[in-house]
Amino acid sequence: MFYSECELETRFDRIRKSEQNLPNFLADVMRLETESDCALLNCGTIRSNYVFPRGIIKLGDLRLMLPYEDLVLKAEITGEQLVKALENGVSKNPALEGRFPAVNLFF
């Protein structure tokens, strides 16, 4: 359980075609937990299609957001590979395919 100071956006028509706060937060957590320089999250992983109100976010809310037990992979890649992954993630925009990437980069 945690407390959110703002609404958390998970509506498909938003997270699957533009940067939003919840996917960015999840990418932040992934990068910090894996101690990586970068984290990419496919926004199609988020399945709730809802705006969670400001306040307490419970385990049940997290299960609505992320109902599948997806793996987090840590890999060493080149800058060229990162650019290709990012370009792929936006290549069908504004289609709502779920490929849009949430990104956290540490410089």
Side-chain angles (χ1 to χ4, degrees), residues 20-38:
Q20 300 296 328
N21 61 0
L22 181 74
N24 285 349
F25 171 72
L26 295 173
D28 292 349
V29 170
M30 287 170 49
R31 188 188 65 75
L32 291 170
E33 286 298 312
T34 60
E35 299 179 352
S36 300
D37 295 329
C38 175

Side-chain angles (χ1 to χ4, degrees), residues 31-91:
R31 188 188 65 75
L32 291 170
E33 286 298 312
T34 60
E35 299 179 352
S36 300
D37 295 329
C38 175
L40 297 177
L41 171 71
N42 175 336
C43 287
T45 300
I46 302 166
R47 307 301 287 191
S48 45
N49 197 25
Y50 178 74
V51 177
F52 289 86
R54 173 185 164 195
I56 295 174
I57 303 298
K58 298 178 181 176
L59 182 58
D61 298 323
L62 291 174
R63 286 188 177 141
L64 286 174
M65 294 173 194
L66 303 166
Y68 307 114
E69 293 186 24
D70 295 325
L71 298 176
V72 174
L73 170 72
K74 182 176 178 178
E76 189 169 319
I77 63 171
T78 67
E80 183 179 340
Q81 290 169 319
L82 177 59
V83 168
K84 285 182 180 182
L86 293 170
E87 287 176 345
N88 180 280
V90 298
S91 65

